[in-house]
Amino acid sequence: MIKKGLNGNLKGETFMQSTFKVPIKGKKGKGRVVMQFGSFYDYSDHCIRPDLPVEPMDDTLNSLIDVLISSGALPASVRPNTAIINIYNVGDNIPPHIDHTDYPRPFSILSLQTSSPILFGTHIIPLGSGKFKAPFSSILERRSLLVLEGNGADVAEHCIPGVEMRRVSITLRKMPEWAERETRERVAREFFGNEKGEEISKPPAVNLSDFVKKPSGGGGQKKKEGLPSVVVAQKKKWAEKVQDDVTKGRSAWKKGPSAIQRAPPGFEGREEKKKEEKKVVQSAKKVQQENNDEKVVLLRREQLVEEKKKNGEKKKQEEEHPDKKKKEEEYKEKKGAALKELNEQLKRQQEAERYQLQEINERRGNQQIAALQKLNEEQDAEYKTLVARLDKIKATALQKLNEEKVAVLKTITEEKDAEITGLASKLDAEKDTEIHSLIARLNKKKATALQKLKEEKVAVLKTITEEKDAEIKSLESRLNEEKDSTLQDLGESKSVKITSLENKLKIEKAIEIYNLNSRLSKKNNQTRQEIKALEKKVEKEEEFVFGDFSDSEDMNKKKKGKKGKSKLNPDTKAFREVEDWN
Ligand SMILES: O=C(O)CCC(=O)C(=O)O
Ligand SMILES: [Fe+2]
């Protein structure tokens, strides 16, 4: 099957190597081989394309599905009618994806040949070289069936990292309704050029083979209903072949511009293609010839039907008007000859037309093949030029973008710097203003607090002073009272003491005076005696010395002295005072 696919012998888009059609620069290998059956899924446009032909589901695939359904592995209500055979050679992978949500769930993957890990996650990160980072992984065992539905199918992506051994898997999915309908219509178109699928089993009422194969002069053979199976098979084969050629871009004149557009650039095996094209042109010519024959035969049939109808009418008229019969027979003969002549003319004309048409078709076919070939070559060249130009444009654009980016970044940086500076100075100013107002507020607060404190202090001091004053006053009065009482007490004891002291002193004084007086009187007595003694002595001496010198001054003095002898000396006086005092 792979060989068939590689040789281009599988229908339409069935066979693909790698999911990219244009080679990726620097990418080694071609990627996994993908073969699609039943319906085509376009990996590059991410859409289901029932309009593009692929091989139908074959018996093997259908019986595999029967087994899976009858064993209960898959629900009969979602019977798969498409299959993708993935062939992973060593290193091949399938990147993270969610199978198109138009495919009804569940869908399934059958793993064959070798087992392999499968990764799941809402955001699988590609790490390059077929490696991925994902939160969940599982092993797809060889010959196991993975059935996907719910979040596992619709929310989480899945991928197969680069395989270590060749692996094959079969993805089984049911087409959505609309794709099924479009596939049916396409298949019908491929067979009979009719949009309605039922025409496949119900051939057109006008039956080509009845006329083509009608035995000459027979007429008695009963007309068959429907096409004979041989003709159906032949027609089907032709239709398939032509359609196949058309979709592979080999028969552009049949399909028109869309086939030319789809012809891949760098199409390989051009020589075989040319041969194929020749064959296709021939078979197409044959079909055309057949069509022309069909047209002639159809025309002839219409004429015969017409004739039959007319004959019937004439017969009726003959029966109704037997007298006209002769005339009419003559007329019929003439008309028959004329008709024969006309038919022959028509046949000749049609023959000429057919050859003309054939020539035109051939010419047109050759022209279109040449045009296609030229177009392919031109497309190749154009593609290369375009890629080169695009690379150049891309490089220039990237360079320009980078420069613009640098310039924009510079402008933005400058703008931002200026903004930052402005903002910073504005913030500084705001900060200063705020600080000033804060300081002013704080100062005011402080002043108010200080004032309050002062007032409180004054009030407290006043209270304290008042309290202290009261205390002092009471203390003072108490002290005064105490002092007074003490003083009183002291005064009393003092006066007592003074009195006693005075008395004592008086006594002592009296004693002393007495003693003194007695001593004085003693002394006085002594002194008087001494004086007396002295006077006696002096008188003796004077008598001795002077005898009669009684008139001199000294004598006067002596006389005075004598006279003075009558006066009391101080001691005597004191003694007298003590005596008086006593
Ligand atoms: O090969 C596999 O196991 C996965 C295939 C797959 O995810 C797919 O075909 O969508
Ligand atoms: Fe998938």
Side-chain angles (χ1 to χ4, degrees), residues 73-75 78 80 103-108 147-150 153 172-174:
L74 293 176
V78 194
Y103 289 112
R105 272 48 174 154
F107 62 91
S108 56
V147 182
L148 284 162
E149 61 185 335
L172 296 168
R173 302 187 290 204
K174 179 175 161 56

Side-chain angles (χ1 to χ4, degrees), residues 97 99 107 109 158:
H97 66 279
D99 285 52
F107 62 91
I109 301 162
H158 58 271

Side-chain angles (χ1 to χ4, degrees), residues 20 23-29:
F20 48 91
I24 295 172
K25 252 188 208 170
K27 183 153 170 54
K28 286 190 187 112

